[in-house]
Amino acid sequence: MSGYPRIEAYKGRIRDNCTRTVELCRSYGIDVMAVTKGFCAYPEIAKCLVESGVVALADSRIANLKKLQHFDVDKVLLRIPMPSELDEVIEYADLVLVSEIETARVLGQKAKQRGTIQRVMAMVDIGDLREGFWLEEIVPAFGEMLGIKGIEVTGIGTNLSCYGGVIPRRENLGVLVGYAKEIEKRYGVHLDMVSGGNSSSMHLVFDGGIPEGINNLRIGEAILLGRETVFGIERENYHNDTFVLKAEIVEIKEKPSVPIGEIGRDAFGNVPVFTDRGVRKRAIIAVGKQDIQPDTLVPYDKDIIILGGSSDHTILDISDCDKDYSVGDILAFDLTYGGMLGGMTSPYVEKVFVE
Ligand SMILES: *Cc1c(COP(=O)(O)O)cnc(C)c1O
């Protein structure tokens, strides 16, 4: 490989973000599980997270958990498992999120056959309409799971701001804590874990409003990109320049801003729309939608306008730039979560880990 396109991952900055998050959460009695799916679970970065004091590494894919086995913290499967992967769950996940009794039952049978106990966390849907037992259905479901041999139900958790965009608040997380108390009372058990969501719950930690009783959060973006994800507030003392995409210019030309000819569908089946801004100076960089969606790139040079792209090309308007770019120049971009995820997962994007 030529070295481009590449993502430079700044380990020290990620470590700083993680240490701050862990220390702040700890002051509220909250353990942090670091979520690794956003960077394809590269062990080079996972190591920084473990060194920062997270209690677990969590990922949505078994393939990623396989890469993390040598770390001496819990490996957690975040996506409720496919029935076809339950043997692997037992092999590679110390803890797994579940929302189906039947899945818990089969996990229990398989764990028993292997002479182990599978730890599970029961998910509750408190309104976002993604995974989980619906509201108070968690209480009888939890009771039923307590009767399944071969599993240990360590607690309950919820997920917000994912499908429904529901904002975590004192009130809705309070509902989760309420279910935990009801379960403890009704079944005479103690829940080790009440997991109050993902990075979107961090705003409640930052402003001191996280309800008592939440003792676990599963955090990806807030650590990786240093961003609070509900209001997009960039926190002081957090680094945002953690993952930087660098790509090479392969063409620079003056061209009109509206194509010539009848407009049909583009390479992705959409009919594009253009604004006529006259003849503009355009650059093409050698990275495309197969790797990173154009709208996930944030150019370092603020005068660059991202026009769009196809599978392998991203097209930029560089007319307003002070710098006189040439073919072969390297452009740098910060990444949104989607950009980081796409780029870190693409085999065509080289990864460089910087101390
Ligand atoms: C991805 C994921 C997270 C982490 O989300 P961030 O917004 O990156 O913090 C937490 N929990 C579950 C279930 C997830 O799928």
Side-chain angles (χ1 to χ4, degrees):
M1 275 176 118
S2 74
Y4 296 100
R6 73 197 216 190
I7 288 184
E8 294 174 358
Y10 288 83
K11 295 195 291 182
R13 299 173 191 167
I14 297 166
R15 194 184 283 112
D16 278 356
N17 285 354
C18 192
T19 304
R20 292 211 164 91
T21 306
V22 166
E23 284 175 358
L24 181 66
C25 286
R26 194 175 281 153
S27 71
Y28 290 96
I30 295 170
D31 287 333
V32 174
M33 293 178 170
V35 175
T36 55
K37 67 189 183 208
F39 60 90
C40 201
Y42 275 85
E44 289 86 343
I45 300 174
K47 183 165 182 282
C48 303
L49 306 176
V50 171
E51 287 166 357
S52 308
V54 301
V55 296
L57 296 172
D59 204 288
S60 48
R61 312 277 171 147
I62 295 273
N64 284 353
L65 292 185
K66 283 184 185 174
K67 304 186 220 169
L68 303 171
Q69 292 298 307
H70 58 290
F71 290 109
D72 192 21
V73 294
D74 278 349
K75 271 68 71 181
V76 179
L77 184 63
L78 287 175
R79 185 171 64 186
I80 45 175
M82 295 183 266
S84 58
E85 67 181 350
L86 298 182
D87 284 305
E88 287 196 297
V89 169
I90 290 167
E91 179 102 24
Y92 297 107
D94 301 295
L95 175 70
V96 56
L97 277 44
V98 294
S99 67
E100 291 286 348
I101 303 267
E102 186 52 27
T103 302
R105 211 180 295 287
V106 178
L107 274 173
Q109 278 162 7
K110 289 183 182 290
K112 254 191 353 196
Q113 279 161 12
R114 288 171 176 239
T116 68
I117 290 183
Q118 179 63 44
R119 285 157 61 216
V120 307
M121 186 200 289
M123 294 302 280
V124 192
D125 186 344
I126 57 172
D128 200 57
L129 302 183
R130 205 176 79 174
E131 75 275 48
F133 292 98
W134 183 243
L135 299 173
E136 65 273 3
E137 284 170 16
I138 184 63
V139 180
F142 199 99
E144 212 174 318
M145 281 197 264
L146 283 173
I148 298 174
K149 300 225 162 30
I151 62 166
E152 180 194 334
V153 202
T154 61
I156 61 174
T158 199
N159 202 59
L160 291 169
S161 309
C162 270
Y163 173 72
V166 173
I167 299 175
R169 296 281 187 201
R170 245 190 119 71
E171 294 70 33
N172 51 14
L173 289 185
V175 168
L176 180 74
V177 173
Y179 293 141
K181 287 190 178 142
E182 199 178 326
I183 287 166
E184 291 188 329
K185 203 168 107 198
R186 186 173 308 182
Y187 304 113
V189 291
H190 168 74
L191 300 193
D192 286 338
M193 235 178 251
V194 181
S195 187
N198 52 50
S199 294
S200 64
S201 295
M202 279 306 290
H203 75 100
L204 290 174
V205 179
F206 289 133
D207 68 17
I210 191 103
E212 208 175 309
I214 300 288
N215 67 3
N216 178 283
L217 290 173
R218 311 173 307 270
I219 307 291
E221 183 163 358
I223 293 172
L224 300 171
L225 297 175
R227 261 195 292 266
E228 183 287 312
T229 57
V230 175
F231 305 106
I233 301 164
E234 302 202 338
R235 300 287 306 179
E236 242 177 274
N237 300 325
Y238 275 77
H239 303 282
N240 311 121
D241 49 355
T242 42
F243 291 84
V244 179
L245 175 79
K246 296 202 170 159
E248 191 168 358
I249 299 178
V250 290
E251 178 185 301
I252 294 182
K253 293 198 191 303
E254 306 251 336
K255 293 186 188 178
S257 34
V258 177
I260 297 173
E262 204 182 330
I263 307 294
R265 294 182 189 284
D266 68 11
F268 287 81
N270 306 309
V271 179
V273 193
F274 300 90
T275 316
D276 192 355
R277 309 166 76 215
V279 171
R280 304 285 291 179
K281 190 168 173 191
R282 301 150 71 96
I284 298 179
I285 50 172
V287 65
K289 288 185 181 172
Q290 179 164 350
D291 315 296
I292 294 190
Q293 299 297 317
D295 60 0
T296 65
L297 301 176
V298 185
Y300 270 42
D301 182 337
K302 296 298 170 212
D303 296 322
I304 291 176
I305 303 164
I306 296 172
L307 295 173
S310 57
S311 305
D312 303 293
H313 304 82
T314 303
I315 302 161
L316 312 171
D317 183 326
I318 55 169
S319 312
D320 300 334
C321 299
D322 294 332
K323 187 167 182 289
D324 190 19
Y325 290 109
S326 314
V327 170
D329 282 351
I330 306 299
L331 296 180
F333 302 84
D334 277 331
L335 298 170
T336 65
Y337 188 84
M340 169 180 66
L341 182 78
M344 291 303 287
T345 317
S346 171
Y348 305 106
V349 177
E350 190 154 321
K351 284 81 184 173
V352 178
F353 300 97
V354 186
E355 290 305 318

